[in-house]
Amino acid sequence: MPGNTPTGLLPTGLARGTTPAPEGSNSEAPETEVSTTPGAAGQNGRASAPHLSSASHLSSAPHQSMTPPGRAESAPGPADTAPGARRGKPAARRRNRTWFRIISPLVVLVGWQLVSMSGLISQQKLPPPSTVLHTAITLITTSNAAYGTLQGAMLVSLERVAIGFVVGGAAGLVLGVVAGLSRLGENSVDPLMQMLRTLPLFGLIPVFIVWFGIGQLPKILLIALGASIPLYLNTFSGIRNVDAKLAEAGQSLGLRRGETIRHIILPGALPQILVGLRQSLGIAWLALVVAEQINANAGLGYIINQGQAFLNNSVIFVALLVYCVLGLLTDALVRLLERRALAWRHGLLDH
Protein backbone atom coordinates (compact mmCIF):
# COMPACT_ATOMS: atom_id res chain seq x y z
CA MET A 1 0.00 0.00 0.00
CA PRO A 2 1.30 3.46 -0.58
CA GLY A 3 0.24 4.59 2.88
CA ASN A 4 2.57 2.04 4.42
CA THR A 5 5.63 3.57 2.77
CA PRO A 6 7.20 6.90 3.73
CA THR A 7 6.83 8.20 0.23
CA GLY A 8 3.11 7.67 0.29
CA LEU A 9 2.77 10.66 2.66
CA LEU A 10 4.46 13.08 0.19
CA PRO A 11 3.39 14.66 -3.08
CA THR A 12 4.06 12.63 -6.15
CA GLY A 13 6.84 14.93 -7.41
CA LEU A 14 8.69 14.87 -4.10
CA ALA A 15 8.27 11.12 -3.78
CA ARG A 16 10.16 10.72 -7.03
CA GLY A 17 12.90 13.10 -5.66
CA THR A 18 11.95 16.16 -7.71
CA THR A 19 10.70 19.63 -6.81
CA PRO A 20 7.22 20.66 -7.98
CA ALA A 21 6.81 23.58 -10.33
CA PRO A 22 5.28 26.78 -8.87
CA GLU A 23 1.57 27.23 -9.27
CA GLY A 24 0.46 29.42 -12.08
CA SER A 25 3.64 28.86 -14.09
CA ASN A 26 3.26 28.70 -17.86
CA SER A 27 6.31 26.54 -18.34
CA GLU A 28 7.38 23.46 -16.53
CA ALA A 29 10.43 23.81 -14.34
CA PRO A 30 13.10 21.19 -14.80
CA GLU A 31 13.05 18.49 -12.22
CA THR A 32 15.92 18.69 -9.76
CA GLU A 33 17.09 15.40 -8.38
CA VAL A 34 18.04 15.19 -4.72
CA SER A 35 21.23 13.29 -4.39
CA THR A 36 21.19 10.38 -2.00
CA THR A 37 24.78 9.39 -2.51
CA PRO A 38 27.25 10.02 0.30
CA GLY A 39 28.96 13.39 -0.20
CA ALA A 40 31.11 15.60 1.91
CA ALA A 41 29.13 14.67 4.99
CA GLY A 42 29.87 11.03 4.43
CA GLN A 43 33.55 11.80 4.08
CA ASN A 44 33.50 13.54 7.49
CA GLY A 45 32.31 10.36 9.17
CA ARG A 46 28.54 11.00 9.04
CA ALA A 47 25.98 9.05 7.06
CA SER A 48 24.22 10.73 4.18
CA ALA A 49 20.68 11.95 4.76
CA PRO A 50 17.87 9.56 3.67
CA HIS A 51 15.52 10.32 0.83
CA LEU A 52 12.67 11.30 3.14
CA SER A 53 14.61 13.98 5.05
CA SER A 54 15.86 15.49 1.80
CA ALA A 55 12.34 15.77 0.47
CA SER A 56 11.05 17.18 3.76
CA HIS A 57 13.75 19.85 3.70
CA LEU A 58 12.73 20.94 0.22
CA SER A 59 9.04 21.08 1.13
CA SER A 60 9.67 23.13 4.29
CA ALA A 61 11.46 25.99 2.43
CA PRO A 62 10.03 26.14 -1.09
CA HIS A 63 10.75 29.86 -1.60
CA GLN A 64 14.39 29.84 -0.41
CA SER A 65 16.68 31.45 -2.99
CA MET A 66 19.25 29.20 -4.56
CA THR A 67 22.78 30.43 -5.27
CA PRO A 68 23.68 29.96 -8.95
CA PRO A 69 26.33 27.35 -9.66
CA GLY A 70 29.87 28.66 -9.54
CA ARG A 71 28.90 31.79 -7.58
CA ALA A 72 29.32 31.95 -3.82
CA GLU A 73 27.86 34.50 -1.47
CA SER A 74 30.50 36.91 -0.21
CA ALA A 75 31.11 36.91 3.50
CA PRO A 76 31.01 40.24 5.31
CA GLY A 77 34.44 41.80 5.55
CA PRO A 78 35.96 43.94 8.28
CA ALA A 79 34.38 47.10 6.86
CA ASP A 80 30.89 45.52 7.16
CA THR A 81 31.35 44.12 10.63
CA ALA A 82 32.99 47.18 12.20
CA PRO A 83 32.29 50.40 10.27
CA GLY A 84 32.99 52.52 13.33
CA ALA A 85 36.54 51.24 13.55
CA ARG A 86 37.36 52.54 10.06
CA ARG A 87 35.80 55.91 10.79
CA GLY A 88 37.64 56.20 14.08
CA LYS A 89 41.13 55.68 12.65
CA PRO A 90 41.48 59.09 10.89
CA ALA A 91 40.34 60.91 14.03
CA ALA A 92 42.85 58.98 16.13
CA ARG A 93 45.62 59.82 13.68
CA ARG A 94 44.70 63.52 13.80
CA ARG A 95 44.85 63.48 17.60
CA ASN A 96 48.26 61.85 17.47
CA ARG A 97 49.51 64.46 15.01
CA THR A 98 48.26 67.22 17.33
CA TRP A 99 50.29 65.81 20.21
CA PHE A 100 53.32 65.38 17.96
CA ARG A 101 53.22 69.11 17.13
CA ILE A 102 53.88 69.92 20.80
CA ILE A 103 57.08 67.86 20.96
CA SER A 104 59.36 70.28 19.09
CA PRO A 105 58.43 73.36 21.22
CA LEU A 106 59.04 71.31 24.37
CA VAL A 107 62.44 70.22 23.05
CA VAL A 108 63.33 73.87 22.41
CA LEU A 109 62.31 74.84 25.95
CA VAL A 110 64.37 72.02 27.48
CA GLY A 111 67.40 72.99 25.38
CA TRP A 112 66.91 76.63 26.35
CA GLN A 113 66.86 75.73 30.04
CA LEU A 114 70.00 73.59 29.75
CA VAL A 115 71.92 76.31 27.90
CA SER A 116 70.98 78.93 30.50
CA MET A 117 71.86 76.67 33.43
CA SER A 118 75.21 75.63 31.92
CA GLY A 119 76.44 79.22 31.79
CA LEU A 120 77.19 79.22 28.07
CA ILE A 121 75.08 82.40 27.79
CA SER A 122 74.60 84.89 30.57
CA GLN A 123 71.20 84.71 32.24
CA GLN A 124 70.99 88.50 31.97
CA LYS A 125 70.98 88.15 28.19
CA LEU A 126 69.03 84.88 27.98
CA PRO A 127 66.95 84.27 31.10
CA PRO A 128 66.01 80.59 31.57
CA PRO A 129 62.40 79.45 31.05
CA SER A 130 61.98 79.03 34.81
CA THR A 131 62.73 82.73 35.35
CA VAL A 132 60.46 83.72 32.48
CA LEU A 133 57.64 81.60 33.97
CA HIS A 134 58.09 83.25 37.36
CA THR A 135 57.97 86.69 35.74
CA ALA A 136 54.81 85.75 33.82
CA ILE A 137 53.09 84.61 37.03
CA THR A 138 54.08 87.89 38.68
CA LEU A 139 52.67 89.93 35.79
CA ILE A 140 49.41 87.97 35.95
CA THR A 141 48.86 88.10 39.69
CA THR A 142 50.01 91.68 40.38
CA SER A 143 49.33 95.00 38.64
CA ASN A 144 52.61 96.78 38.09
CA ALA A 145 52.66 100.53 37.53
CA ALA A 146 55.25 100.15 34.78
CA TYR A 147 53.80 97.14 32.95
CA GLY A 148 50.19 96.72 34.05
CA THR A 149 48.90 93.15 33.97
CA LEU A 150 49.69 90.50 31.38
CA GLN A 151 46.06 89.53 30.82
CA GLY A 152 45.09 93.17 30.31
CA ALA A 153 47.84 93.62 27.73
CA MET A 154 46.73 90.43 25.96
CA LEU A 155 43.12 91.63 25.70
CA VAL A 156 44.19 94.99 24.24
CA SER A 157 46.46 93.33 21.68
CA LEU A 158 43.82 90.73 20.75
CA GLU A 159 41.27 93.48 20.15
CA ARG A 160 43.65 95.33 17.83
CA VAL A 161 44.56 92.17 15.92
CA ALA A 162 40.95 91.06 15.58
CA ILE A 163 39.71 94.39 14.19
CA GLY A 164 42.70 94.88 11.91
CA PHE A 165 42.60 91.31 10.61
CA VAL A 166 38.87 91.42 9.86
CA VAL A 167 39.21 94.70 7.97
CA GLY A 168 42.37 93.75 6.09
CA GLY A 169 41.34 90.16 5.44
CA ALA A 170 37.96 91.18 4.04
CA ALA A 171 39.60 93.79 1.79
CA GLY A 172 42.24 91.33 0.55
CA LEU A 173 39.64 88.64 -0.14
CA VAL A 174 37.31 90.95 -2.09
CA LEU A 175 40.15 92.50 -4.10
CA GLY A 176 41.57 89.05 -4.86
CA VAL A 177 38.21 87.85 -6.18
CA VAL A 178 37.77 90.99 -8.29
CA ALA A 179 41.27 90.75 -9.76
CA GLY A 180 41.06 87.00 -10.28
CA LEU A 181 37.74 86.92 -12.13
CA SER A 182 38.35 89.62 -14.75
CA ARG A 183 41.16 91.18 -16.75
CA LEU A 184 39.81 94.64 -16.01
CA GLY A 185 39.94 93.95 -12.26
CA GLU A 186 43.47 92.58 -12.56
CA ASN A 187 44.72 95.64 -14.45
CA SER A 188 43.03 97.97 -11.96
CA VAL A 189 43.81 96.30 -8.63
CA ASP A 190 46.93 94.18 -9.04
CA PRO A 191 49.46 97.00 -9.73
CA LEU A 192 48.38 98.87 -6.60
CA MET A 193 48.59 95.77 -4.41
CA GLN A 194 52.01 94.88 -5.78
CA MET A 195 53.18 98.38 -4.88
CA LEU A 196 51.73 98.25 -1.36
CA ARG A 197 53.26 94.87 -0.52
CA THR A 198 56.77 96.27 -1.01
CA LEU A 199 56.27 99.11 1.47
CA PRO A 200 57.96 98.55 4.86
CA LEU A 201 55.57 98.86 7.78
CA PHE A 202 58.15 100.72 9.87
CA GLY A 203 58.43 103.32 7.11
CA LEU A 204 54.69 103.96 7.26
CA ILE A 205 54.68 104.77 10.99
CA PRO A 206 55.60 108.48 10.68
CA VAL A 207 53.20 108.91 7.75
CA PHE A 208 50.32 107.33 9.68
CA ILE A 209 51.10 109.47 12.73
CA VAL A 210 50.83 112.62 10.61
CA TRP A 211 47.65 111.43 8.89
CA PHE A 212 45.77 109.67 11.71
CA GLY A 213 47.42 110.81 14.94
CA ILE A 214 48.64 108.50 17.72
CA GLY A 215 45.38 106.86 18.72
CA GLN A 216 43.93 103.47 17.90
CA LEU A 217 43.22 104.09 14.19
CA PRO A 218 46.82 104.04 12.83
CA LYS A 219 47.56 100.81 14.72
CA ILE A 220 44.51 99.06 13.27
CA LEU A 221 45.28 100.35 9.76
CA LEU A 222 48.86 99.03 9.91
CA ILE A 223 47.59 95.58 10.97
CA ALA A 224 44.92 95.65 8.25
CA LEU A 225 47.47 96.55 5.59
CA GLY A 226 49.81 93.77 6.64
CA ALA A 227 47.02 91.17 6.78
CA SER A 228 45.45 92.06 3.43
CA ILE A 229 48.47 91.37 1.19
CA PRO A 230 48.93 87.57 1.72
CA LEU A 231 45.20 86.88 1.47
CA TYR A 232 44.95 88.93 -1.72
CA LEU A 233 47.89 87.16 -3.38
CA ASN A 234 46.67 83.66 -2.50
CA THR A 235 43.07 84.38 -3.49
CA PHE A 236 44.15 85.80 -6.84
CA SER A 237 46.49 82.88 -7.51
CA GLY A 238 43.95 80.28 -6.36
CA ILE A 239 41.25 81.59 -8.69
CA ARG A 240 43.59 81.77 -11.67
CA ASN A 241 44.81 78.20 -11.06
CA VAL A 242 41.33 76.66 -11.25
CA ASP A 243 41.09 74.36 -14.27
CA ALA A 244 39.24 76.15 -17.08
CA LYS A 245 37.69 72.85 -18.21
CA LEU A 246 35.67 72.72 -14.99
CA ALA A 247 34.14 76.11 -15.72
CA GLU A 248 33.41 75.04 -19.30
CA ALA A 249 31.73 71.88 -18.01
CA GLY A 250 29.56 73.95 -15.68
CA GLN A 251 28.53 76.28 -18.48
CA SER A 252 27.67 73.31 -20.70
CA LEU A 253 25.40 72.06 -17.91
CA GLY A 254 23.54 75.37 -17.89
CA LEU A 255 25.16 77.11 -14.91
CA ARG A 256 25.05 80.89 -14.97
CA ARG A 257 28.17 82.93 -14.21
CA GLY A 258 27.24 83.51 -10.59
CA GLU A 259 26.54 79.81 -10.07
CA THR A 260 29.82 78.89 -11.77
CA ILE A 261 31.72 81.20 -9.42
CA ARG A 262 29.90 79.90 -6.35
CA HIS A 263 29.96 76.18 -7.13
CA ILE A 264 33.15 75.70 -9.16
CA ILE A 265 35.65 78.58 -8.99
CA LEU A 266 35.55 79.47 -5.29
CA PRO A 267 35.58 75.84 -4.05
CA GLY A 268 38.50 75.14 -6.39
CA ALA A 269 40.42 78.13 -5.02
CA LEU A 270 39.52 77.43 -1.38
CA PRO A 271 42.68 75.42 -0.47
CA GLN A 272 44.98 78.27 -1.49
CA ILE A 273 42.69 80.87 0.10
CA LEU A 274 43.04 79.06 3.43
CA VAL A 275 46.82 79.07 3.03
CA GLY A 276 46.61 82.83 2.56
CA LEU A 277 44.44 83.04 5.68
CA ARG A 278 47.16 81.38 7.76
CA GLN A 279 49.81 83.70 6.33
CA SER A 280 47.64 86.75 6.97
CA LEU A 281 47.24 85.84 10.63
CA GLY A 282 51.01 85.53 11.01
CA ILE A 283 51.59 88.90 9.34
CA ALA A 284 48.89 90.44 11.54
CA TRP A 285 50.81 89.45 14.67
CA LEU A 286 54.04 90.85 13.20
CA ALA A 287 52.28 94.09 12.26
CA LEU A 288 50.94 94.35 15.81
CA VAL A 289 54.48 94.64 17.17
CA VAL A 290 55.14 97.47 14.73
CA ALA A 291 51.80 99.16 15.39
CA GLU A 292 52.26 99.19 19.13
CA GLN A 293 55.41 101.26 18.72
CA ILE A 294 53.13 104.24 17.98
CA ASN A 295 52.80 105.74 21.45
CA ALA A 296 51.04 102.72 22.90
CA ASN A 297 50.09 102.81 26.58
CA ALA A 298 48.85 99.21 26.76
CA GLY A 299 49.36 95.91 24.97
CA LEU A 300 52.12 93.39 24.47
CA GLY A 301 54.20 95.84 22.43
CA TYR A 302 53.94 98.30 25.29
CA ILE A 303 55.27 95.67 27.71
CA ILE A 304 58.21 95.03 25.36
CA ASN A 305 59.00 98.76 25.23
CA GLN A 306 58.82 99.03 29.01
CA GLY A 307 61.03 95.99 29.47
CA GLN A 308 63.60 97.53 27.15
CA ALA A 309 63.46 100.83 29.06
CA PHE A 310 64.01 99.08 32.42
CA LEU A 311 66.57 96.57 31.02
CA ASN A 312 64.40 93.64 32.10
CA ASN A 313 64.86 90.91 29.52
CA SER A 314 62.62 88.43 31.33
CA VAL A 315 59.62 90.75 30.78
CA ILE A 316 60.51 91.03 27.09
CA PHE A 317 60.70 87.23 26.78
CA VAL A 318 57.32 86.87 28.49
CA ALA A 319 55.69 89.12 25.88
CA LEU A 320 57.50 87.34 23.04
CA LEU A 321 56.40 83.92 24.27
CA VAL A 322 52.81 85.16 24.55
CA TYR A 323 53.05 86.24 20.90
CA CYS A 324 54.26 82.73 20.02
CA VAL A 325 51.46 80.99 21.94
CA LEU A 326 48.75 83.23 20.50
CA GLY A 327 50.12 82.73 17.00
CA LEU A 328 50.15 78.96 17.49
CA LEU A 329 46.56 78.97 18.77
CA THR A 330 45.23 81.08 15.90
CA ASP A 331 47.05 78.84 13.42
CA ALA A 332 45.46 75.80 15.06
CA LEU A 333 42.02 77.38 14.61
CA VAL A 334 42.68 77.93 10.91
CA ARG A 335 43.93 74.34 10.56
CA LEU A 336 40.70 73.12 12.18
CA LEU A 337 38.70 75.25 9.75
CA GLU A 338 40.76 73.83 6.89
CA ARG A 339 40.02 70.24 7.93
CA ARG A 340 36.30 70.95 8.10
CA ALA A 341 36.09 72.95 4.86
CA LEU A 342 38.34 70.59 2.89
CA ALA A 343 37.03 67.28 4.22
CA TRP A 344 36.60 66.11 0.61
CA ARG A 345 40.31 66.45 -0.14
CA HIS A 346 42.83 63.69 0.61
CA GLY A 347 46.46 64.68 0.57
CA LEU A 348 49.62 62.67 0.16
CA LEU A 349 49.99 61.92 3.90
CA ASP A 350 46.30 61.29 4.65
CA HIS A 351 46.44 57.56 3.84
Side-chain angles (χ1 to χ4, degrees):
M1 296 258 329
N4 297 331
T5 61
T7 56
L9 300 176
L10 301 174
T12 307
L14 292 180
R16 292 199 306 267
T18 59
T19 57
E23 295 182 4
S25 175
N26 296 329
S27 60
E28 296 182 357
E31 296 181 351
T32 304
E33 295 185 358
V34 179
S35 174
T36 57
T37 58
Q43 295 176 2
N44 292 332
R46 291 178 295 182
S48 60
H51 186 80
L52 175 63
S53 61
S54 300
S56 301
H57 173 71
L58 290 175
S59 62
S60 62
H63 301 290
Q64 186 176 1
S65 61
M66 307 288 290
T67 303
R71 183 180 301 174
E73 296 182 358
S74 59
D80 300 329
T81 56
R86 294 176 63 87
R87 289 194 298 266
K89 288 181 179 179
R93 285 198 297 266
R94 285 196 296 267
R95 286 194 296 268
N96 291 335
R97 287 198 297 266
T98 302
W99 286 108
F100 288 158
R101 290 176 62 85
I102 304 176
I103 294 177
S104 55
L106 291 178
V107 171
V108 171
L109 289 177
V110 172
W112 177 8
Q113 181 71 29
L114 294 176
V115 168
S116 297
M117 293 177 59
S118 63
L120 295 176
I121 302 177
S122 173
Q123 294 189 4
Q124 296 295 328
K125 297 179 179 179
L126 184 65
S130 57
T131 303
V132 174
L133 178 61
H134 180 267
T135 304
I137 294 174
T138 304
L139 289 175
I140 293 173
T141 55
T142 60
S143 179
N144 194 297
Y147 306 108
T149 60
L150 183 59
Q151 59 269 26
M154 287 175 56
L155 290 177
V156 172
S157 295
L158 282 173
E159 180 183 2
R160 290 169 179 163
V161 167
I163 298 175
F165 175 75
V166 169
V167 174
L173 184 63
V174 172
L175 292 175
V177 171
V178 171
L181 292 177
S182 67
R183 294 293 181 185
L184 178 61
E186 178 184 3
N187 295 330
S188 303
V189 174
D190 192 65
L192 297 177
M193 298 300 292
Q194 297 297 333
M195 291 168 58
L196 288 177
R197 76 185 186 93
T198 60
L199 292 177
L201 294 180
F202 276 105
L204 292 175
I205 290 178
V207 178
F208 277 25
I209 290 176
V210 173
W211 288 355
F212 308 108
I214 57 175
Q216 192 83 337
L217 182 59
K219 301 176 179 59
I220 293 176
L221 289 179
L222 278 176
I223 297 171
L225 179 61
S228 64
I229 301 300
L231 195 53
Y232 163 79
L233 292 175
N234 284 273
T235 302
F236 175 77
S237 178
I239 291 175
R240 288 300 175 90
N241 287 331
V242 174
D243 193 353
K245 295 180 180 179
L246 297 176
E248 294 174 359
Q251 292 175 359
S252 65
L253 293 175
L255 294 180
R256 293 187 292 271
R257 179 171 175 79
E259 295 174 339
T260 303
I261 294 173
R262 187 169 65 253
H263 296 295
I264 295 178
I265 297 178
L266 291 183
L270 186 59
Q272 196 157 352
I273 293 175
L274 291 175
V275 172
L277 183 64
R278 295 176 65 184
Q279 293 178 352
S280 294
L281 277 172
I283 297 298
W285 287 111
L286 295 177
L288 175 65
V289 180
V290 178
E292 290 182 337
Q293 305 295 321
I294 307 176
N295 195 28
N297 56 6
L300 295 174
Y302 172 75
I303 290 181
I304 291 177
N305 290 334
Q306 291 296 97
Q308 181 182 2
F310 290 102
L311 301 177
N312 192 343
N313 281 343
S314 61
V315 172
I316 297 176
F317 275 95
V318 167
L320 292 177
L321 287 178
V322 170
Y323 275 125
C324 294
V325 172
L326 291 177
L328 189 63
L329 290 177
T330 51
D331 184 73
L333 290 176
V334 178
R335 288 170 64 89
L336 178 61
L337 175 64
E338 185 178 6
R339 284 198 299 266
R340 298 293 177 85
L342 303 179
W344 49 269
R345 189 182 66 169
H346 297 285
L348 178 63
L349 301 180
D350 291 337
H351 301 285

